[in-house]
Amino acid sequence: MTVPEILDELGGVSRRTFYRWREIGHAPQGLKLPNGEIRVWRSEFTTWLESLREAA
């Protein structure tokens, strides 16, 4: 998944907020491509979302 796809799935979270979550380790693990873009496996994103729901 691309960052815009993730932000869309999260319902309007800003790009800055997502990158802040990455900085502090609260975002799903992703791969940084040679061109600087980030990709997240859908399964990793789903697992991360479920962990947030369980914590709430």
Side-chain angles (χ1 to χ4, degrees):
M1 296 178 72
T2 64
V3 172
E5 290 172 339
I6 292 169
L7 299 178
D8 188 46
E9 289 270 339
L10 294 175
V13 171
S14 73
R15 181 178 289 268
R16 176 66 192 126
T17 298
F18 178 76
Y19 282 106
R20 192 171 344 119
W21 289 346
R22 281 186 48 86
E23 289 171 9
I24 62 175
H26 291 286
Q29 294 296 315
L31 305 169
K32 191 166 190 177
L33 301 178
N35 64 1
E37 292 184 13
I38 296 170
R39 295 288 190 274
V40 175
W41 293 104
R42 174 151 311 264
S43 59
E44 179 67 31
F45 177 73
T46 303
T47 302
W48 175 75
L49 256 176
E50 287 301 319
S51 71
L52 292 178
R53 287 186 182 134
E54 289 173 4

